[in-house]
Amino acid sequence: MEKLTLLEQDLINAVCLFHAKFKNVTPDEVEVELMYDDVAGYSAEAFYNGQLDVYNSVNFIMALRLYIDEQLGRDSMSARISLDIDDEEGMIANVEF
């Protein structure tokens, strides 16, 4: 089983690309903040044109799957994705194919 780690910048890029795709804007117009809460779990906020959209864990994983498919050229549906916090790297995603 192949393992891959997506670093915090990859996660931000994934949400930017996902949000931009569905808002029909360019990714560089989107600002993203990653968050973790003991109750809500992992989430992200995407800002564009004064509007805020919150991505819960499920939508966050959907954004990562799109990133894996389109940017990494891999089949994300065969991947197991788990989010984690690394002391040095910040928020990361562990991906197993």
Side-chain angles (χ1 to χ4, degrees):
M1 188 166 271
E2 182 183 353
K3 295 182 180 183
L4 171 70
T5 300
L6 298 177
L7 302 178
E8 191 166 275
Q9 188 60 53
D10 297 316
L11 305 184
I12 291 168
N13 292 347
V15 175
C16 280
L17 290 168
F18 188 82
H19 194 74
K21 182 173 188 143
F22 292 102
K23 294 292 184 179
N24 202 26
V25 298
T26 62
D28 61 334
E29 296 177 275
V30 179
E31 293 181 39
V32 171
E33 183 176 340
L34 304 177
M35 297 174 294
Y36 175 77
D37 180 270
D38 288 335
V39 176
Y42 296 94
S43 62
E45 292 181 342
F47 302 92
Y48 167 72
N49 199 23
Q51 293 182 327
L52 167 69
D53 288 306
V54 177
Y55 289 89
N56 61 23
S57 295
V58 173
N59 293 335
F60 196 172
I61 296 293
M62 286 175 47
L64 293 174
R65 288 192 185 282
L66 181 69
Y67 182 82
I68 291 167
D69 287 341
E70 293 185 354
Q71 301 299 309
L72 303 180
R74 303 292 302 263
D75 177 19
S76 68
M77 296 314 290
S78 67
R80 187 177 115 206
I81 302 171
S82 61
L83 296 167
D84 198 5
I85 302 292
D86 182 84
D87 290 337
E88 293 179 17
E89 300 294 339
M91 192 181 293
I92 62 171
N94 295 304
V95 184
E96 292 182 24
F97 294 94

